[in-house]
Amino acid sequence: MNPVECSYRFRFYPTTQQTDLLNRTFGCVRVIYNRARTLREAAWKERKERCGFTQTNAMLTALKKQPEFVWLNEVSSVPLQQCLRHLEAAYQRFFHKRARYPQFRRKDSRQSAEFTKSGFTYRNGMLTLAKMKEPLAVVWSRVLPGEPSTVTVIREPDGRWYVACRVTASIKPLSGGSAVGIDLGLTNLAVLSTGEKIANPRHLSKRQKRLVREQRRLAHKQKGSRNWTKAKLKQARAHAAVRHARQDFLHKLSRRLINENQVIAVETLSVEGMLRTKRHSRAIADASWGELLRQLNYKAAWYGRTLVQISRFYPSTKTCSACGATGHILTLADRAWVCPHCGAHHDRDHNAAQNILAAGLAVTACGGDVSPGVPRHPGQSSVKQELMP
């Protein structure tokens, strides 16, 4: 059994008093986060001093003693301190070039507040937050494997309330299974080395008409009016429908691939670079290749599977999976081709998936990375070959 930290998300329905308290908590968290970010930025620009969690926490203590900020004492202090830790983590990710510069928190976006063990009680399936007299009406769709270590209350832009519980669960590794190579694309979201083609559901394209209609109606409303607020809520629900459908599909697909295969070979994609291509950027974002690879990565670690990512410059499309000859000239319109060396007939995506599997098995057996069969020329693009004009 592998002990792993995972998060379980449930929907809940707060009462009027709970809604008021949570909204005030979100406002306090937002004020403290933005003030701490301003303090850190001013300290560096004016005095070239580094300001960390210790300094911002002292700022919070002094702020709560001022008469004009006495309302900060009406909510739990736990989420206020946690937002300062989140700001520190955001700066660390920026310093290590893993994320962009921390932004201010907005009032009209997704709101969240994190509670540690000192800020909530969990007994007999009842979750009660600090400063609350009644437990939250949580819809427990599954049983928690243990007591939560942290609880995050979330209010989405569509008006729905969620609670995310982080727990330590014991997951039994899976045994058995075969090996598979996966070639990602747009016409088919994934083509497996077994020949199976998984169609691209195109969640955004299917709901694009509704999104356009709601965005047009929102643009015609006076900003800040009651009708504008109603139209914005409808727009947020239209976006949530796309997001939920996409997440549900990707979770089911990734779990199925993990259950059936011991070794999964995929190509390393520069999704950020491919999104710069204006012609296919919307379709690439709708396919969510990066999210699929992320789910395969952590689920493979949970269940004892092997996920191999080969080099993005490996010529999987232009290599014959039968004889190994490479360097064939193919255009985007060539969905099927015949190898001039051995005469083998190939489906473009199936052949690429077979080559990815072979490269992944080579990495598993020998270790290291897979170098491309043809040299990379200076200035060669990192864009997926199927998307190049």
Side-chain angles (χ1 to χ4, degrees):
M1 305 293 284
N2 296 330
V4 297
E5 286 192 357
C6 52
S7 180
Y8 293 86
R9 180 166 163 151
F10 307 95
R11 190 174 178 184
F12 75 97
Y13 299 87
T15 62
T16 304
Q17 293 79 8
Q18 291 173 346
T19 301
D20 178 68
L21 178 59
L22 290 175
N23 285 332
R24 285 188 284 125
T25 303
F26 293 150
C28 295
V29 168
R30 187 170 59 249
V31 168
I32 296 301
Y33 186 93
N34 293 341
R35 279 182 167 268
R37 180 192 177 277
T38 304
L39 176 65
R40 295 180 63 133
E41 187 172 343
W44 177 254
K45 288 185 176 180
E46 297 174 2
R47 303 180 300 275
K48 298 299 179 181
E49 295 179 357
R50 291 189 177 273
C51 184
F53 171 77
T54 304
Q55 291 77 10
T56 55
N57 193 31
M59 179 269 298
L60 171 61
T61 304
L63 205 64
K64 295 174 71 173
K65 295 179 181 179
Q66 299 181 13
E68 57 271 24
F69 290 98
V70 68
W71 40 270
L72 291 174
N73 298 289
E74 298 177 359
V75 301
S76 174
S77 61
V78 174
L80 303 183
Q81 293 178 340
Q82 287 300 107
C83 80
L84 297 179
R85 293 186 174 92
H86 294 166
L87 179 63
E88 175 67 21
Y91 269 100
Q92 292 301 323
R93 288 193 295 268
F94 168 73
F95 293 147
H96 291 88
K97 298 182 179 181
R98 297 198 305 266
R100 63 177 184 174
Y101 191 80
Q103 303 295 310
F104 287 111
R105 291 195 176 184
R106 298 175 52 183
K107 185 177 181 179
D108 57 350
S109 62
R110 176 180 180 268
Q111 304 294 314
S112 64
E114 186 180 70
F115 296 81
T116 58
K117 283 189 174 182
S118 60
F120 69 91
T121 57
Y122 177 77
R123 295 190 184 95
N124 301 324
M126 307 292 287
L127 179 64
T128 307
L129 301 179
K131 302 283 186 177
M132 288 187 181
K133 299 180 181 179
E134 300 178 357
L136 297 177
V138 183
V139 181
W140 301 103
S141 56
R142 66 184 73 181
V143 180
L144 286 179
E147 185 176 353
S149 58
T150 61
V151 169
T152 303
V153 180
I154 304 168
R155 190 191 68 196
E156 294 287 355
D158 58 359
R160 295 185 175 95
W161 294 81
Y162 297 92
V163 57
C165 303
R166 178 175 291 274
V167 298
T168 301
S170 298
I171 297 180
K172 182 179 180 180
L174 299 175
S175 59
S178 56
V180 67
I182 305 175
D183 179 66
L184 301 176
L186 294 179
T187 303
N188 296 298
L189 179 63
V191 177
L192 308 184
S193 57
T194 58
E196 180 184 359
K197 295 184 178 182
I198 301 173
N200 187 358
R202 301 183 184 274
H203 301 287
L204 180 61
S205 300
K206 292 179 180 178
R207 299 165 177 84
Q208 187 73 23
K209 186 175 181 180
R210 178 189 175 189
L211 282 171
V212 171
R213 181 177 66 249
E214 299 300 342
Q215 290 170 349
R216 186 184 299 115
R217 290 177 177 176
L218 177 63
H220 292 167
K221 301 294 189 297
Q222 183 179 358
K223 188 174 182 180
S225 63
R226 296 183 65 181
N227 288 334
W228 179 85
T229 303
K230 294 179 183 178
K232 189 172 183 180
L233 181 61
K234 292 182 180 179
Q235 180 199 31
R237 289 178 177 174
H239 280 286
V242 178
R243 183 173 64 254
H244 294 166
R246 182 185 295 121
Q247 285 289 332
D248 179 72
F249 175 80
L250 293 178
H251 274 293
K252 291 179 179 178
L253 175 59
S254 60
R255 184 58 192 271
R256 175 202 155 191
L257 293 174
I258 291 295
N259 289 345
E260 296 177 353
N261 302 281
Q262 180 66 36
V263 178
I264 301 175
V266 296
E267 51 188 340
T268 304
L269 300 177
S270 177
V271 180
E272 183 179 356
M274 287 185 284
L275 288 176
R276 299 192 185 102
T277 59
K278 297 181 180 180
R279 184 177 179 181
H280 301 283
S281 58
R282 178 181 294 178
I284 294 172
D286 190 14
S288 295
W289 295 333
E291 176 63 16
L292 177 60
L293 295 179
R294 186 191 71 86
Q295 293 183 12
L296 288 174
N297 192 11
Y298 80 80
K299 290 180 182 179
W302 282 5
Y303 296 99
R305 300 303 199 181
T306 303
L307 179 67
V308 183
Q309 292 185 329
I310 67 172
S311 172
R312 72 181 64 170
F313 303 112
Y314 179 71
S316 58
T317 301
K318 299 181 178 181
T319 301
C320 176
S321 59
C323 65
T326 187
H328 302 93
I329 300 178
L330 299 175
T331 64
L332 188 59
D334 298 329
R335 308 314 302 175
W337 57 283
V338 178
C339 178
H341 296 274
C342 64
H345 184 273
H346 298 294
D347 176 82
R348 180 194 186 99
D349 298 330
H350 184 209
N351 174 71
Q354 289 180 318
N355 288 327
I356 291 173
L357 173 60
L361 293 178
V363 171
T364 305
C366 304
D369 197 3
V370 177
S371 59
V374 293
R376 183 190 177 200
H377 302 288
Q380 181 177 345
S381 174
S382 61
V383 178
K384 186 176 174 65
Q385 198 273 339
E386 280 75 3
L387 303 180
M388 297 180 64

